[in-house]
Structure formats: structure tokens, C-alpha cells
Amino acid sequence: MKTLRSLLIMLMLCIWLGAWAQSFSNPVIPGFHPDPSVCRVGDDFYAVNSSFHYFPGVPIFHSRDLVHWEQIGNVLDRPSQLPLGGTTSWLGIYAPTIRYHKGVYYMITTNVGNGGNFMVKAEHPRGPWSEPIWLEQQGIDPSLYFEDDKCYMVSNPDGVIMLCEIDYESGKQLTPSRPLWRGTGGRYPEGPHIYKKDGYYYLLISEGGTELAHQLTIARSRNIEGPYEGCPHNPILTNCNAKGENMQIQGTGHGDFVQDQYGQWWVMFLAYRNFGGSYHHLGRETCLAPVEWDEWPIVNGGNPIDTVMTVAHAPLFSSFPAAGIVSGFNASVESDFQEKSLSDLGVSFVRFQNPIESHYKIGGGRLRLVGHGTLTENKQPTYLGVRQCAADIVMETTISLKSLREQGGQPANSNLRAGLSVYQIHDGHMDFYTDGKSVNVSCRLKSLLAPCNHPGVDSRIPSDAQQLRLRVTSDGLMYYFYYALDQGAYTEVARQNCSLLSTEVAGGFTGVTMGMYVEGEGYADFTSFKYSE
């Protein structure tokens, strides 16, 4: 009888614990959203990400539970805040940090190639954000720490984590830069953040490079100026070990701690997902894991990070179902271009560098894009797209063929072409385009132009066709390219492996974006665009 009673108690305990266990999927902000930083204000969480050579810069997100995120804007939405002249995907806006102090939000970051470290501020995270306040201490990935009415800045000039005090109104440096920590010996000690807990200042950094060996390490001190003692269990987060080597998620690192309103600690960090072997093309994404504290923080119970995470007894997730996996992000967008301005399209659309505004005209059911050079030349090319945030996607557009045949009463220029691009880096993209006479797909890798249409597929366009519809789909392993004329059926014209646009093949460390573009002299009219997941 005692055995039966014990079994019943254990069963009830398992049921009770199961009722408190919730599962969510990683990444929580998928696609090209690297280098996350997060802060909490009351019951609201705000996160920001790197944006490199894309305009507008530093996407900002809002959440109530750290899993369901909505993009509410872009911190840097004016050329005066975001000079991007001559940038490639290796330059531009590196890892930002967001913090809140006395009713004001602060975002600090690095514009690599165009000015260095600066911060902006706003009374509301939706903006408007101030003009840049340029800072003296350099090194990438700067962060702010507020204590009482003092503001400290950390960054990594010369590969050393350095600290100084600044005036958070003017940005003036008030103390000399002081070295704090060189990390544990991994390359590229960067991404520093300071937190205070139980009388210690904790210094969280990333090491190993933002690749397979990426990791989070931590040190602490009783004095903010040091000396800092490294955690004996470093790294506190990495999937580059025996436990994590077979996970789809790899490259875990560059994180930021946040404590929720119930006292539970979390870390948001970047990682990437492999597809079709050891290839990642969607970029570095934002993931989430629970943190427990002993003397030192323990991330996810010391276990590797997976695409499905289970957390026991998390009051923040009280609205989640006890069974099932919660996924909180969808980047789908659709437009028939009735909007009056590009800003009305939505906050997720991006362009390259500082775009030539007169080359983008929207309204009345039409988006007119005026060509300017080529995507590969990377000199303010005409492109409007979104981040690819899921493996399984459909992207579609409709192009007016009349606009490609005749302009201003004259035949269109022979070098004019328009279509859709699946873009990783300026010398790594797949272009699905027309010149008004035929449809083609080209694969541009390291400046090598390679046609990739299916042999035998007739891609010529009859002269009486009025509209060309282009469709790109993906299953995470392949991209498929289809076209249709007017209201006719779609024909597959090409397919290419997604790995060709991976960081491992094409290079870069951003992630795929996809959208409409025009190259050559002249313009093209698009009458619809849709990206769905």
C-alpha cells in the first residue's frame, strides 16, 4: 500500500511539474538579427540588433514575455544619424546596447568606417531618437552601465575591455580609459556588459569570434574598476563542445542578461542555425535561455542551446500553454503599393547604405524603382527588401512589362533590368530578373556571374504580355524560381542550393535579405510584393 501511495504521489508531482513546464522555440527573433541587447522597463522588454550597411539601422523590438517580439521601429532612421558612405556588409553598425535611465532610453553602438562610437537617446523606444553623440573611447561593441547618477562606458579598444566614466548628456569622457579584463584567452574579446548583483560587478563578454567557437565568458569584481576574477567554469555559454556539437544551433555567444519582473534571469544572445550540413545562410539570429545564479550565472542548467527550450516554473510564461511549443515571430509582409510613402510600408523594409530617395516612388498601386549601378558594384544600388526570417518562405512580386519596354515615349535602355534578389553580400546573391523580353536567374558569387536557368525552359516573354509575376520559394535547402505571365500558371525556371548563399560559401556575417531591385539606366514599376512564412 505504501508503494502504491508513493507511486501516486510521484505521479501527481510529475503532473504538477509538467503543468509548470513551458516550451518555446529558438531563435526568438529569427533571421539576420545579430548581437542582441535587451532592457526591461516595468513589464516591457526592448531589444535591438546590429544592422551593418542596411538603412534604416538598429531594428528595435518590443515584448511582454521575451518570446513574442514585434518590431516597433528602427533607432537610426535618418541619414544624419546613420552615415553609411562606401559601406559593405563588413562595415556599418556593429553591436548596439540599449539601456534605460531616469525616463530616457539610450542606445550606444559603433559605426565602423563612418565615425566610430556614438550614442543616441529618446524618451520613447519608438522614437524619435536624437542625433548622434560621438564618444572618445573607441573599440567596437560599446555598452553603458548606470549607477546612481554615474554612467560608465565599456568597449574593447586594442582587444582589451576598457572602462571609462562619461557624461551621459554630452558624451564627454570624464575619466581616463582603464583596462578591466582580457578574457580567458579566446580571440576577439568583445561585446562587454556590466551588471551588479550581490555586491559584485559582473563583466560579461564574448570570445572566440562570431563563428563556430563563439562563447560567453564572465568575470567579477567588488570594485567596478577591478581587478576582475574570471569564472572558474568559463565559458558559461557555448555549443562548441561535446554536448552541443550535434545541435542545429551553433555559434552561440554575444549576449546580454536581463531580469524579469518576477526575479528570473535570462540571457538573449546570438546563434545561427545550420541547414543542409554545416552551412548557415539566414545569418546570426537572436536566441533566449534561462539563467540561474549560484556564485556565478549558470545558463540553461549548463546544457547546450537547442531549437526547443523547456523552462520549469517561469511565471513570465503564465499565459503559455502547459503543452506545446510556443513560437512568437512572423515577419510576413504584403503590399499593393497604395501607401503614400515608403515609411507606410512598415518598419521591416531595408535598403543599402544611404539610399537615393528620389529613386523610390510609391503610391497609387505602383512602386517605381529607378536604377543606379548594380548590386555587385555596391554604390547605393536600388533595392528594397526584407530579412529572410524563416527557412520556408514564399516571395512574390508583379512587374509592369510596359515600364520596361517604353519610357518617355522612347524604347527603354537595353541595360535595364528589374526583378527579385536573394542577397547575402554584394558579391554573393541570386538575381531573378527580366529586361522585358525574357526571364533569367543568375548566381553572382565572388563577382563570378553564372546563369542558372533550367535547360530547355522557354523564358522568352511575348510582346503582348502586360505583367510578369515572379515567385521565389525555399524549403531551407533550395531556392526555387518561378515566373508567370499575366494570369497564367507559374513555370519553374531555376533552382539553387541555399548553401551557395551561406556565410561558409559566399562570405560575410550578416544574413539573407530578399526583395525588389532595378539595375541599369531607367526605371521599373512594381505593382505588388509579398513575403510570407
Side-chain angles (χ1 to χ4, degrees), residues 36-53:
S37 176
V38 59
C39 74
R40 178 177 68 89
V41 181
D43 293 334
D44 297 289
F45 299 91
Y46 298 98
V48 291
N49 297 101
S50 300
S51 52
F52 297 93
H53 65 316

Side-chain angles (χ1 to χ4, degrees), residues 106-275:
Y106 295 83
M107 190 283 296
I108 183 172
T109 188
T110 311
N111 188 338
V112 178
N114 282 280
N117 288 335
F118 69 96
M119 65 180 181
V120 292
K121 53 189 178 179
E123 295 182 359
H124 193 281
R126 294 180 184 270
W129 291 78
S130 72
E131 291 298 299
I133 301 169
W134 298 97
L135 303 166
E136 180 180 338
Q137 180 170 292
Q138 292 304 299
I140 61 170
D141 306 353
S143 181
L144 298 175
Y145 171 73
F146 291 91
E147 185 170 36
D148 299 325
D149 209 35
K150 289 187 174 183
C151 179
Y152 297 91
M153 170 186 171
V154 282
S155 59
N156 76 334
D158 302 318
V160 181
I161 306 304
M162 304 282 278
L163 171 84
C164 68
E165 184 183 345
I166 66 171
D167 183 316
Y168 57 81
E169 293 292 342
S170 67
K172 180 181 178 181
Q173 185 164 327
L174 303 178
T175 62
S177 298
R178 179 185 180 91
L180 298 186
W181 196 40
R182 294 179 180 271
T184 64
R187 66 177 186 157
Y188 306 138
E190 57 194 14
H193 297 297
I194 290 179
Y195 317 88
K196 192 172 186 181
K197 188 179 188 300
D198 301 330
Y200 281 99
Y201 294 92
Y202 286 87
L203 174 60
L204 179 70
I205 72 168
S206 56
E207 300 184 53
T210 185
E211 300 147 355
L212 186 64
H214 211 28
Q215 56 188 258
L216 284 178
T217 59
I218 198 165
R220 70 180 184 181
S221 173
R222 291 287 188 182
N223 188 320
I224 194 169
E225 294 184 344
Y228 279 81
E229 163 202 11
C231 173
H233 309 298
N234 276 326
I236 61 170
L237 171 67
T238 186
N239 267 20
C240 188
N241 53 29
K243 288 184 177 180
E245 64 180 342
N246 294 319
M247 299 294 183
Q248 184 187 19
I249 286 183
Q250 294 296 327
T252 55
H254 198 112
D256 196 4
F257 288 152
V258 67
Q259 187 179 26
D260 69 27
Q261 55 268 52
Y262 302 100
Q264 169 72 53
W265 285 81
W266 304 87
V267 61
M268 290 184 72
F269 56 95
L270 70 78
Y272 58 79
R273 286 177 291 169
N274 283 331
F275 293 91

Side-chain angles (χ1 to χ4, degrees), residues 466-529:
Q466 299 300 306
Q467 289 187 327
L468 174 66
R469 292 179 290 133
L470 302 179
R471 172 184 287 176
V472 179
T473 70
S474 179
D475 56 11
L477 299 178
M478 300 289 292
Y479 288 110
Y480 303 88
F481 300 86
Y482 305 86
Y483 81 96
L485 299 172
D486 296 323
Q487 300 305 311
Y490 278 104
T491 298
E492 182 184 333
V493 67
R495 60 179 64 181
Q496 283 293 325
N497 201 298
C498 294
S499 66
L500 292 176
L501 294 185
S502 67
T503 291
E504 291 76 14
V505 176
F509 57 4
T510 50
V512 167
T513 64
M514 47 198 347
M516 301 160 285
Y517 80 101
V518 172
E519 293 182 343
E521 299 174 37
Y523 61 82
D525 291 338
F526 297 77
T527 58
S528 68
F529 177 80

